[in-house]
Amino acid sequence: MHFNSGSCNGCDIEILATLTPRYDVERLGVRLQGSPRHADVLICTGPVTRQARERLRRVYEQMPEPKYVVAIGSCATAGSVFDGCYNVVGHVDEVLPVDVYVPGCPPRPEAIIDGIVKLLGQIRARSGKGEER
Ligand code: SF4
């Protein structure tokens, strides 16, 4: 599931590009879900604004366990250009536990796919089915 917690939309467009047939992430088992109740992974873009904080928490709480969070872009990972703004709470890991960080402004689809592959490696390592990549 994709959630924009205050992004300028640059990262969101790269996520959409990642979902196109050109990058074909369905081959990795990645499908966009419209409901958090059907999602395993929350990919979050942008800094977290005051307005979005509670919505972001509510979306995360509705996801079934086990669940994972990927922060996409420099704003989600470290605040970037929005850091310190009056309406910004902070980066995503100040609100939710983040499993993988994908930096970049915006990150290219290849970097987003690399983040997903890293998450798959972490999940395998935690379940004892393989080495962490
Ligand atoms: S990282 Fe760059 S492209 Fe992404 S939301 Fe921030 S300013 Fe926009």
Side-chain angles (χ1 to χ4, degrees):
M1 170 135 191
H2 169 213
F3 188 89
N4 174 342
S5 60
S7 151
C8 75
N9 279 342
C11 289
D12 308 275
I13 287 170
E14 296 300 320
I15 288 171
L16 291 180
T18 308
L19 293 166
T20 60
R22 177 168 181 169
Y23 294 98
D24 191 20
V25 285
E26 277 201 26
R27 71 197 144 99
L28 301 173
V30 177
R31 286 185 55 208
L32 192 63
Q33 294 291 342
S35 166
R37 296 183 197 281
H38 299 155
D40 307 309
V41 179
L42 178 62
I43 54 174
C44 191
T45 57
V48 183
T49 63
R50 292 186 195 284
Q51 190 178 32
R53 176 174 46 188
E54 277 318 302
R55 289 175 195 156
L56 177 61
R57 274 207 191 115
R58 223 177 307 150
V59 164
Y60 179 75
E61 283 165 8
Q62 288 177 49
M63 291 170 62
E65 294 280 356
K67 54 191 169 187
Y68 308 93
V69 178
V70 179
I72 303 281
S74 299
C75 294
T77 59
S80 190
V81 291
F82 298 110
D83 209 20
C85 284
Y86 71 94
N87 58 339
V88 166
V89 177
H91 13 111
V92 175
D93 65 5
E94 292 177 61
V95 179
L96 299 180
V98 173
D99 297 282
V100 172
Y101 298 84
V102 179
C105 181
R108 288 185 51 79
E110 291 88 345
I112 296 172
I113 293 170
D114 186 55
I116 299 295
V117 171
K118 284 200 169 83
L119 177 64
L120 292 172
Q122 278 188 26
I123 294 169
R124 280 207 179 135
R126 284 183 212 166
S127 65
K129 289 185 182 161
E131 292 297 311
E132 189 171 340
R133 291 180 209 179

